[in-house]
Amino acid sequence: MNIVILIYDSVRPDFLPVNPHTEVQAPTIEKFARESVNFREAITSAPWTLPSIAAIIGGIYSHKLGLYTWTQPYPDDVKTLFHYLEEEGYSIGTFVFDTRYLFSHMPFAHVVDHSRDFKKVLKWINDHSNTKFLLFYHGWLTHIPWEPMNSDEAWRRAVREIHKKLRENWQDAVKWCKTRYIKAIEYVSEHEIKQLLQLLEERDILDETLIFLISDHGESWGERIEDKTQIRVNFDLHGRFLYDENIKIMMLVKFPHSWSKGKTIDCQVRSVDILPTILELLGIPPSSTSRPLDGRSLLPVVKGTDTKRIAVVSTTGLVNEDYAPYIAKMAIRDFPYKLIVDFEEDKWEFYDLLQDPYEMTNLYNNPTLYKKVLKLKELLQREKNLIPSHMVEQFEKIKMQKMLKQLGYL
């Protein structure tokens, strides 16, 4: 069985062509969805790339791994997807948005090149089509500025211009941004995904290949920022918040031999479930010397033998002036309820996603929901206790500095 994992940055599931309300015209993705299992309630471990993908390859929540800066090495007591498949004799090829960042301190990821030239990806597949292989691809065309750039400076200039548009004329800028975003999704559908599927079919290996078409996180356009003049960085669009527009992800899975094709799963699942799913399909037990997995296989969910929704933990981390990471916010999503805490502001939010899917009405202080809030607070506290000590220390340091500054000592 070959394995292809296509991660397209920032793609929201409500922008997929299988959604009846979308404007996206992407026939290849639409056809792929008909041949796949569509997990409509898939949640990422973090709303930005590094911690999200770290959780995917390890099957462990981001806040336990503690990876929130590009220069951090992967924990050596965690066995990743790459480790497992290398032991099984797989050829592994990884393509990333920029080789200086993602996996730059993780040689076991077998990074081949950047992902901007898709011809190189197709060539790699063609060269390894006679062996069992893992292709791990992170595409960035669906990330702001939603079009290819020929240099870092051009990319930064385009991003700054978009932030400026959002600050100065937010409503018109959002329409403009969404149009570009849609075009980017349509482009990768018909110029990347289509070519990849055609190549697998030409090499007569499509039917025996497991394909994940997913995103690492969602996207927003400053809707949650009251003062639009404060939109300054990409983190204001994704990364800073834990609302569903940022943590719900695309997850379409085409199993070998068209198993369960066309099925839609409404049960809540998690990005950390991807690794244990692959391990079960390959008959590989989780390593007894590695940290225990948070994820669990999706196969019982697809078979209908496991329909219990699992509470999902999502976190976002920031860095202080020393570029030291700490957890800023944490969310527990136990559908239909969701609890979010901002540790810096000591602010709590509680939502009923069935009644309020856009998370506009904070019910945290509603006395009739006290027991439900308490239940999720207990779950959150258990997960908070598992945050690495160095991140807790950084947060306490920052909290003390803010207090001293407010008192006039700094």
Side-chain angles (χ1 to χ4, degrees):
M1 181 179 76
N2 302 309
I3 303 168
V4 172
I5 299 178
L6 302 174
I7 303 178
Y8 281 99
D9 206 292
S10 310
V11 175
R12 284 169 40 165
D14 55 333
F15 277 79
L16 290 179
V18 293
N19 187 317
H21 306 294
T22 186
E23 300 175 23
V24 175
Q25 300 295 316
T28 297
I29 292 180
E30 189 170 6
K31 181 184 177 185
F32 182 83
R34 291 197 300 268
E35 298 171 350
S36 305
V37 178
N38 181 9
F39 295 90
R40 294 180 15 159
E41 292 288 327
I43 309 297
T44 184
S45 180
W48 66 285
T49 297
L50 173 61
S52 169
I53 292 183
I56 289 171
I57 65 171
I60 295 173
Y61 282 131
S62 305
H63 64 282
K64 295 181 183 179
L65 295 172
L67 295 175
Y68 291 89
T69 65
W70 298 110
T71 56
Q72 289 175 273
Y74 206 85
D76 57 12
D77 62 343
V78 176
K79 192 171 183 178
T80 69
L81 171 67
F82 302 118
H83 293 111
Y84 280 109
L85 294 192
E86 187 170 38
E87 288 181 359
E88 293 296 312
Y90 273 72
S91 298
I92 299 173
T94 298
F95 293 79
V96 298
F97 72 93
D98 192 323
T99 56
R100 296 169 298 178
Y101 294 98
L102 186 61
F103 299 146
S104 62
H105 288 66
M106 305 177 193
F108 54 81
H110 298 277
V111 174
V112 177
D113 209 332
H114 60 73
S115 57
R116 294 188 295 275
D117 185 354
F118 202 71
K119 291 179 181 178
K120 293 181 179 179
V121 178
L122 297 174
K123 182 180 184 304
W124 188 91
I125 293 175
N126 193 60
D127 291 345
H128 294 83
S129 58
N130 291 323
T131 64
K132 57 183 182 181
F133 65 82
L134 164 68
L135 170 71
F136 193 97
Y137 174 83
H138 176 234
W140 225 35
L141 192 59
T142 48
H143 183 286
I144 182 174
W146 310 296
E147 66 176 359
M149 294 291 158
N150 57 17
S151 69
D152 289 349
E153 179 52 39
W155 183 87
R156 285 191 290 267
R157 189 164 54 246
V159 168
R160 287 196 299 267
E161 184 60 32
I162 292 171
H163 295 159
K164 185 171 181 284
K165 285 177 181 286
L166 289 167
R167 288 195 300 270
E168 294 179 349
N169 190 346
W170 183 76
Q171 288 187 335
D172 287 346
V174 168
K175 293 178 184 177
W176 181 84
C177 287
K178 287 184 177 181
T179 298
R180 288 168 66 98
Y181 179 71
I182 287 170
K183 288 185 179 300
I185 295 172
E186 292 173 342
Y187 181 88
V188 300
S189 171
E190 304 312 306
H191 291 84
E192 293 189 357
I193 300 170
K194 183 177 182 178
Q195 289 187 59
L196 184 145
L197 294 174
Q198 286 177 339
L199 176 59
L200 294 177
E201 191 166 28
E202 288 169 6
R203 301 297 297 176
D204 198 27
I205 54 175
L206 177 60
D207 197 42
E208 61 193 56
T209 300
L210 170 67
I211 306 175
F212 288 86
L213 178 57
I214 63 176
S215 50
D216 49 358
H217 53 77
E219 185 64 290
S220 63
W221 290 276
E223 294 92 337
R224 303 287 180 172
I225 299 175
E226 188 173 344
D227 182 359
K228 308 305 182 192
T229 65
Q230 297 304 305
I231 298 175
R232 300 286 175 182
V233 295
N234 290 342
F235 233 53
D236 293 328
L237 309 186
H238 60 256
R240 191 175 301 281
F241 300 109
L242 295 171
Y243 302 105
D244 272 12
E245 62 263 25
N246 284 138
I247 65 171
K248 281 188 75 170
I249 58 172
M250 163 178 70
M251 189 184 286
L252 301 172
V253 184
K254 183 181 183 303
F255 290 96
H257 311 297
S258 301
W259 181 65
S260 294
K261 73 172 186 177
K263 195 166 189 176
T264 296
I265 303 294
D266 291 319
C267 178
Q268 180 172 275
V269 299
R270 309 162 297 170
S271 60
V272 293
D273 296 332
I274 291 172
L275 173 58
T277 301
I278 293 172
L279 295 182
E280 182 175 356
L281 282 167
L282 293 175
I284 303 172
S287 172
S288 59
T289 59
S290 179
R291 294 192 207 174
L293 299 175
D294 288 312
R296 64 190 200 187
S297 174
L298 296 168
L299 298 186
V301 177
V302 178
K303 293 173 183 175
T305 58
D306 181 3
T307 57
K308 184 180 182 299
R309 294 179 183 269
I310 306 170
V312 184
V313 185
S314 291
T315 52
T316 188
L318 299 175
V319 294
N320 67 3
E321 64 276 5
D322 300 320
Y323 211 59
Y326 66 97
I327 299 292
K329 296 176 183 175
M330 179 177 277
I332 298 284
R333 192 181 191 271
D334 191 13
F335 195 86
Y337 300 110
K338 183 175 175 183
L339 180 70
I340 305 173
V341 59
D342 182 330
F343 293 120
E344 292 184 292
E345 303 295 331
D346 194 25
K347 178 184 176 183
W348 295 81
E349 300 170 71
F350 185 82
Y351 298 100
D352 182 339
L353 299 174
L354 275 180
Q355 303 301 320
D356 180 24
Y358 299 106
E359 298 161 277
M360 304 302 293
T361 304
N362 184 2
L363 302 174
Y364 180 74
N365 292 316
N366 186 325
T368 64
L369 296 170
Y370 171 77
K371 289 185 178 179
K372 292 180 172 61
V373 171
L374 185 61
K375 175 189 172 185
L376 292 196
K377 287 187 81 169
E378 290 172 350
L379 288 174
L380 187 145
Q381 185 59 50
R382 285 206 296 269
E383 293 297 330
K384 182 184 176 184
N385 292 340
L386 299 172
I387 296 173
S389 59
H390 71 276
M391 299 188 77
V392 175
E393 290 166 4
Q394 285 300 328
F395 176 74
E396 294 301 327
K397 175 184 174 182
I398 291 164
K399 192 174 180 180
M400 179 61 70
Q401 288 173 339
K402 285 187 176 182
M403 184 184 301
L404 292 173
K405 190 173 183 179
Q406 289 172 350
L407 294 172
Y409 290 104
L410 293 177

